Every structure is written in C-alpha cells, then in structure tokens.
Amino acid sequence: DIQMTQSPSTLSASVGDRVTITCRASQSISSWLAWYQQKPGKAPKLLIYDASSLESGVPSRFSGSGSGTEFTLTISSLQPDDFATYYCQQYNSYLFGQGTKVEIK
Amino acid sequence: EVQLVESGGGLVKPGGSLRLSCAASGFTFSSYSMNWVRQAPGKGLEWVSSISSSSSYIYYADSVKGRFTISRDNAKNSLYLQMNSLRAEDTAVYYCARDGTVVRGFDYWGQGTLVTVSS
C-alpha cells in the first residue's frame, strides 16, 4: 500500500502568514492527490484536487503543487477562517495523511 | 443542491451489528461512485470503503474487510454500510462522501453519524 506522510502535525501561525504543509507519498502517485480542510465538528471540505486544481468556490489564497511523491499545500496569507486541520489524500487507494492542525500563534 | 444525509448510528455492544444509510439528493446518484470515511474521536480521517456507480467495483480498507459490506440502491438514491462484528476501535463518526467525476476527490460529504461500540 502507498503510505502518506504529512508534516508538520501542528503548525502555529499568525493571520497574514504564508503557510506551507507537505505531504509525501511512499511511491509515485503522479498528480493523484487531494487536499481537504476540516473544522471541529464539521465534515471535511475539498480544497484542491489533482494536486494543483482549485475546487470551485475555494479562495485563491489556497494553492497546491507537486507531483510524484512530494506535494505541498500553501495558504498565501492566512485568514481567521483558515484555522483548521488539513488532510492530504492520495487518490490511488484513497489513503489520507495524518493531518496538520493550523493553530493561532 | 447536493445533499448527503447519514443515519443509523448509535450505541452497540462489541460483536454487534449496525447498518448505516446515506440518503442522497440534488444530483444523479446513479452516476457517481460513493464512499464511507470514518473519524475516531480526536483522530484523523480513515477511508473505509468505496463502491462504483453500478456496484461493479467495491473496495474496503484492510481494517474492515470481511466485517463491513458497502452497498447502494440507485432507485432509492441511497448508500449503505452494513457493519458486523463491531469492535471498540470501530467507534467513530462515519461520513458518506461523493466521489467527484471530473474532480478527483471527495467533493461532497454528509454531516456524519456517530457509531459507538461499547459494553
């Protein structure tokens, strides 16, 4: 099975900061990667698919990049609504990363 | 508007069974693969099972293989998860999620239903 390693597990940041989260696959998954945002008590929300395509309605401050085994989710200027937990998911066997909690610094 | 509404969660004893349902509306249900994803309290997301639009392809996580059965009824716009031989570690919120077609990702999710396995 392809394993996903997401880092960091927790990230402390301030409003306006540029934030980057990394997801590494144990073998190449081409661009078959999605990113989700989840807030406490809520269902996850799809942000990015195919590694770099922005889902409809998602603010443009979110971006994704990478292919093969290394991927990043970037928030260009962190907003108060962005404090949440973020997950990557490889679309080969649907496995999720462990999650990254973005906290207020 | 796309809606997914799960039901059927509750408290069950170890070794017991439960059947979850997910009622879909607002889209052509029979055209989409569907999934179950769970989240144990305070933990991350775990994919559980997937079923293709016509039920031709079905996949399970190793952790539930042989105990859980996914199914769907396209005439009723409904997705199901039959859970047998439940264990304490199956305690989680269970979400149904639509598999995007053009979009490779789970593009719509239900609100989740809590399953608690405890004596």
Side-chain angles (χ1 to χ4, degrees):
Chain A
D1 280 353
I2 300 173
Q3 301 302 314
M4 306 302 293
T5 304
Q6 197 174 328
S7 60
S9 55
T10 307
L11 189 159
S12 297
S14 302
V15 172
D17 283 354
R18 182 181 182 88
V19 165
T20 299
I21 298 168
T22 298
C23 190
R24 288 186 176 88
S26 57
Q27 63 190 75
S28 177
I29 56 170
S30 185
S31 296
W32 288 37
L33 188 99
W35 289 97
Y36 300 84
Q37 176 193 67
Q38 187 182 33
K39 296 180 180 178
K42 300 292 187 182
K45 173 187 174 184
L46 178 66
L47 299 175
I48 301 283
Y49 63 94
D50 287 352
S52 60
S53 296
L54 196 66
E55 170 69 333
S56 176
V58 173
S60 59
R61 63 181 180 271
F62 291 93
S63 65
S65 65
S67 65
T69 62
E70 188 146 340
F71 303 86
T72 58
L73 172 71
T74 299
I75 309 172
S76 60
S77 178
L78 198 65
Q79 298 302 301
D81 191 48
D82 301 338
F83 292 96
T85 301
Y86 295 83
Y87 295 92
C88 62
Q89 180 197 30
Q90 59 99 340
Y91 220 64
N92 184 302
S93 57
Y94 300 126
L95 212 62
F96 289 92
Q98 305 94 319
T100 296
K101 184 176 182 180
V102 176
E103 298 181 327
I104 300 173
K105 193 172 186 178
Chain B
E1 180 195 2
V2 171
Q3 281 200 312
L4 299 169
V5 179
E6 302 94 337
S7 60
L11 175 64
V12 61
K13 288 181 168 53
S17 298
L18 212 53
R19 189 196 197 206
L20 305 184
S21 299
C22 173
S25 60
F27 66 102
T28 305
F29 181 72
S30 59
S31 296
Y32 289 84
S33 295
M34 297 294 296
N35 306 272
W36 289 99
V37 176
R38 69 184 181 183
Q39 187 169 37
K43 302 296 184 183
L45 301 173
E46 180 187 16
W47 169 78
V48 172
S49 183
S50 294
I51 185 168
S52 63
S53 57
S54 60
S55 304
S56 298
Y57 300 98
I58 288 175
Y59 305 99
Y60 298 99
D62 287 345
S63 57
V64 306
K65 206 173 289 184
R67 301 187 299 121
F68 289 11
T69 302
I70 191 172
S71 63
R72 63 191 295 161
D73 185 335
N74 287 342
K76 294 184 178 179
N77 291 338
S78 292
L79 175 72
Y80 306 102
L81 187 67
Q82 177 67 43
M83 304 187 295
N84 298 331
S85 303
L86 282 161
R87 307 166 179 166
E89 54 265 35
D90 296 318
T91 294
V93 173
Y94 285 73
Y95 296 100
C96 68
R98 191 180 85 167
D99 207 320
T101 47
V102 174
V103 169
R104 268 194 289 260
F106 296 174
D107 59 356
Y108 285 93
W109 297 64
Q111 84 289 350
T113 187
L114 176 62
V115 172
T116 303
V117 184
S118 174
S119 55

